Amino acid sequence: MSTDDAGNSVPHKHFIHEIVDEHNQSGRFGGRVQTRFPPEPNGYLHIGHAKSICLNFGLAKFYGGKCNLRFDDTNPTKEDQEYVDSIMDDVRWLGFTWDGLYYASDFFEQLYQYAEQLIQKDLAYIDSSPVETIRAERGTLTEPGKHSADRNRPTAESLDLFRRMKAGEFPDGKYVLRAKIDMAHPNMNMRDPLLYRIRHAEHHRTGNTWCIYPLYDFTHGYCDSLEQITHSICTLEFENHRPLYDWFIDVLGLYHPQQIEFARLNLTYTVMSKRKLLELVEAGTMRGWDDPRMPTIAGIRRRGYTADGMRAFCDTIGVTKFNGLTDLSVLENAIRNDLNKRAPRYMGVLNPLKVVLTNYPEGQVEYTDAVNNPEDPSQGTRQLPFSPELYIERDDFMENPPKQFFRLAPGREVRLRWGYFITCQEAVKDAAGNIVELRCTYDPATKGGNAPDNRKVKSTIHWVSAAHAVAAEVRLYDKLFTIENVADIPDDKDWKDFLNPASETIVTAQLEPALGDKPAGFQCQFERLGYFCVDKDTTTDRPVFNRTVTLKDEWAKLQKKS
Ligand code: ATP
Ligand code: MG
């Protein structure tokens, strides 16, 4: 986002703005801007859809126009009300309100009338060829297709058969309706495409009213026309469907929207395909469509991604005509930036190592007022207990530290966040040689984190008071796939073999007591560890947190360099 003279944030402009500006100047649509987001309700929305939603709703907002939500529900066997509901929920969550709500199925009667008109104009015919024959006769990119044996069926006969198809006289697959365009057309989509097929299947909205269903290509452009869409925005793979959509509309002399194609969003280490995501859900590989590892909107919501962060991400990546691969870190950065502003800070230890302060009075507890969010003073303070037994992060101690390691080590002093300076006197080991406890001393003069003699420590670490800590299940997430570009997986390999077995790691963490009773959805930073949110699986007995995103890991960067 950039900022205008009045201080409002405005989205970055892209090539579609130029097209709309041109139309507004020429008066092509009378200055109207009407877009739509047109999902097929055959799965949950993913991050790629978020890009399309931000684009369509964003343009309408920018130009003071309107944006509809339209379900392209032409495939009754793959669609479900559950998907419709989740899609509406996700669009609202992203912060958008649709103007019109439509379903392609609302237009089934009108589409049927259009199909009859095409037959009457001798621009469509009923074909009895089996699908395999139709496929074989389509030709290739270098060879023209063949005319179907039924291509010259008399208009009256096609019309009669089409009506009888609708009346339910024939079984699935017996006939199809095809457009009569050009079997030698260089664009394969123009080679007499299928318009209607027989499907004795119950539709999630029209029930058993229909047993013939229009195909997506036939439906999509007509619905845009019927909704008076001005700018029909879709992804690049529909570029060579545009001549067909134009043909459908022009042969019937209907209102003509302008289709504009843009590049889909692809992200590293994940997939943007409802079909593949459905496979993961059905195989039980994931907790469901909303598993925090899933690139679905439901998944990222559960993971703790924010709507503001998602919109900022979509604005950052822009809209172009070139297919590419966006680095997952760009998305994570957008989320991190947003959470940095809003998330209160707490302390939690993911991999606890006990610390006993040998010179701290036994049984004593002190409370400190810790600042909840240095970025936002209005979030106030909370009481943080300190006592002689603490947990620190196991990674924050090394018995034989390398040069760049400044945290705790034998004889070394560090600062405890909001607490005192402590010095490690001894690492206690079990029989197997594992470190089980550190015995440390604290300096009572360093309360609050500064020494009166101004001596410096190189590192500040987080901790929790052992007696007050709350044990919680913390789910740590990593990349869903081990391969950067899932599209690179060869066809003879199973893409599921490239799922990252470490995409989820569950640990029992020790958290400061204030985190013990937070409701599902609560978001915060665990200092030095990342942003976390309470999962819907949480209970008062066992809180459950998801790690939304890590903080920038300076230590990992250092290690990489050395
Ligand atoms: P999938 O391939 O995942 O099944 P789809 O394109 O079939 O996706 P639709 O429900 O038809 O899913 O998509 C609704 C809208 O979202 C379409 O306009 C489509 O172009 C757009 N869209 C889908 N995937 C992406 C993506 N990765 N990036 C941007 N827009 C997308
Ligand atoms: Mg689609």
Side-chain angles (χ1 to χ4, degrees):
M1 302 271 162
S2 45
T3 317
D4 67 10
D5 296 342
N8 304 310
S9 62
V10 284
H12 288 114
K13 283 203 153 192
H14 46 70
F15 78 98
I16 302 184
H17 287 99
E18 283 169 34
I19 298 175
V20 177
D21 287 342
E22 235 172 77
H23 289 157
N24 284 346
Q25 267 153 33
S26 71
R28 162 130 180 227
F29 295 107
R32 227 163 38 85
V33 175
Q34 169 76 65
T35 56
R36 84 287 176 265
F37 173 63
E40 296 170 82
N42 56 5
Y44 280 58
L45 297 181
H46 52 58
I47 300 172
H49 294 116
K51 173 175 178 177
S52 176
I53 293 168
C54 288
L55 174 55
N56 280 293
F57 283 93
L59 276 175
K61 185 170 172 215
F62 184 82
Y63 288 101
K66 294 198 155 116
C67 183
N68 294 343
L69 174 62
R70 180 181 74 241
F71 292 98
D72 273 334
D73 54 350
T74 56
N75 190 347
T77 57
K78 297 242 162 91
E79 293 158 5
D80 202 281
Q81 188 59 38
E82 178 193 347
Y83 301 138
V84 170
D85 294 340
S86 74
I87 289 169
M88 294 206 263
D89 200 37
D90 287 346
V91 172
R92 281 195 212 100
W93 176 80
L94 269 171
F96 299 107
T97 312
W98 48 88
D99 292 286
L101 174 63
Y102 294 93
Y103 295 81
S105 55
D106 293 341
F107 300 120
F108 277 173
E109 181 57 36
Q110 179 65 68
L111 292 167
Y112 175 81
Q113 296 302 331
Y114 287 161
E116 281 210 354
Q117 287 174 37
L118 292 181
I119 299 171
Q120 274 153 347
K121 286 176 182 279
D122 196 24
L123 294 172
Y125 59 97
I126 297 292
D127 197 340
S128 64
S129 313
V131 265
E132 307 82 63
T133 312
I134 293 177
R135 203 171 296 136
E137 288 179 348
R138 237 182 133 209
T140 64
L141 284 173
T142 50
E143 282 167 53
K146 283 200 199 95
H147 282 185
S148 157
D150 286 354
R151 198 169 197 262
N152 289 321
R153 187 190 293 282
T155 295
E157 205 179 298
S158 279
L159 199 56
D160 175 61
L161 283 172
F162 190 45
R163 289 176 179 165
R164 287 164 60 197
M165 279 164 64
K166 178 184 182 230
E169 271 189 44
F170 309 115
D172 287 6
K174 172 89 173 144
Y175 293 110
V176 291
L177 180 70
R178 294 178 75 179
K180 192 187 276 189
I181 308 180
D182 180 358
M183 287 306 290
H185 202 289
N187 183 337
M188 302 275 287
N189 292 311
M190 302 296 274
R191 294 184 187 174
D192 291 11
L194 267 52
L195 308 183
Y196 267 86
R197 56 187 174 181
I198 304 173
R199 277 275 184 288
H200 288 272
E202 191 170 307
H203 186 278
H204 66 103
R205 296 195 78 241
T206 58
N208 291 309
T209 309
W210 296 87
C211 62
I212 54 170
Y213 289 94
L215 275 100
Y216 180 89
D217 271 352
F218 178 75
T219 309
H220 185 81
Y222 280 139
C223 287
D224 282 344
S225 173
L226 286 163
E227 282 175 48
Q228 300 278 307
I229 300 302
T230 54
H231 301 89
S232 166
I233 298 166
C234 59
T235 38
L236 284 179
E237 66 273 23
F238 289 98
E239 193 159 21
N240 56 13
H241 295 237
R242 173 152 40 94
L244 178 60
Y245 298 171
D246 287 348
W247 185 89
F248 283 137
I249 284 172
D250 292 340
V251 294
L252 295 184
L254 301 172
Y255 166 80
H256 199 138
Q258 175 66 54
Q259 177 170 311
I260 304 165
E261 305 86 11
F262 72 100
R264 331 169 44 93
L265 168 66
N266 292 302
L267 275 176
T268 55
Y269 299 106
T270 190
V271 290
M272 296 288 166
S273 150
K274 280 185 280 186
R275 190 179 50 76
K276 287 200 170 85
L277 296 174
L278 176 64
E279 239 183 284
L280 293 180
V281 172
E282 285 184 335
T285 318
M286 296 284 131
R287 293 172 197 275
W289 283 101
D290 68 349
D291 189 295
R293 289 167 288 184
M294 294 275 276
T296 51
I297 313 248
I300 60 168
R301 285 172 70 173
R302 184 167 172 190
R303 170 120 167 214
Y305 283 24
T306 57
D308 282 348
M310 286 306 294
R311 287 197 307 273
F313 165 70
C314 289
D315 186 59
T316 304
I317 56 174
V319 179
T320 71
K321 280 259 183 202
F322 311 101
N323 274 322
L325 192 59
T326 301
D327 208 293
L328 192 57
S329 64
V330 179
L331 173 58
E332 292 188 338
N333 249 321
I335 301 305
R336 201 178 275 130
N337 287 341
D338 185 52
L339 287 172
N340 179 42
K341 285 176 264 163
R342 65 175 78 233
R345 275 59 168 169
Y346 289 88
M347 289 198 285
V349 174
L350 297 183
N351 187 8
L353 174 61
K354 171 108 38 96
V355 166
V356 178
L357 300 178
T358 50
N359 61 338
Y360 193 87
E362 215 175 299
Q364 180 171 308
V365 181
E366 280 176 84
Y367 286 89
T368 313
D369 284 321
V371 174
N372 287 335
N373 190 351
E375 302 277 323
D376 178 7
S378 76
Q379 292 185 8
T381 59
R382 68 189 182 285
Q383 293 242 296
L384 193 62
F386 187 87
S387 67
E389 292 201 355
L390 313 171
Y391 291 118
I392 66 162
E393 208 70 61
R394 205 163 262 279
D395 289 354
D396 282 337
F397 175 80
M398 278 184 104
E399 199 175 14
N400 300 300
K403 234 169 126 194
Q404 314 94 313
F405 187 89
F406 298 118
R407 292 168 274 169
L408 205 56
R412 169 103 44 95
E413 186 171 49
V414 297
R415 177 190 291 111
L416 295 178
R417 175 76 162 148
W418 304 115
Y420 295 92
F421 287 11
I422 62 167
T423 304
C424 177
Q425 308 296 349
E426 185 195 350
V428 182
K429 293 182 181 170
D430 66 10
N434 302 309
I435 296 167
V436 290
E437 184 181 297
L438 301 179
R439 301 186 76 78
C440 301
T441 48
Y442 86 112
D443 177 354
T446 58
K447 183 165 184 165
N450 289 308
D453 62 359
N454 270 332
R455 78 179 184 277
K456 299 284 179 239
V457 288
K458 282 221 168 118
S459 170
T460 302
I461 64 173
H462 62 273
W463 54 276
V464 294
S465 163
H468 304 87
V470 175
E473 174 173 329
V474 176
R475 299 172 181 168
L476 305 171
Y477 295 109
D478 197 356
K479 303 173 171 73
L480 184 55
F481 285 88
T482 53
I483 187 169
E484 184 170 55
N485 189 354
V486 175
D488 286 344
I489 298 173
D491 283 344
D492 60 342
K493 295 244 166 72
D494 185 350
W495 60 272
K496 292 191 283 311
D497 290 344
F498 292 82
L499 283 166
N500 178 9
S503 59
E504 181 183 75
T505 310
I506 297 181
V507 298
T508 297
Q510 299 290 341
L511 309 181
E512 65 168 278
L515 290 174
D517 58 353
K518 298 297 185 198
F522 171 82
Q523 294 186 285
C524 66
Q525 184 192 100
F526 291 179
E527 294 210 34
R528 300 177 64 228
L529 297 174
Y531 294 97
F532 292 74
C533 72
V534 177
D535 189 75
K536 67 179 191 187
D537 288 346
T538 204
T539 62
T540 36
D541 291 341
R542 188 163 176 82
V544 180
F545 281 78
N546 299 318
R547 177 152 67 190
T548 307
V549 64
T550 56
L551 301 174
K552 271 190 198 135
D553 192 347
E554 301 300 331
W555 172 241
K557 261 193 243 155
L558 261 181
Q559 274 181 319
K560 243 187 220 166
K561 270 192 210 150
S562 60

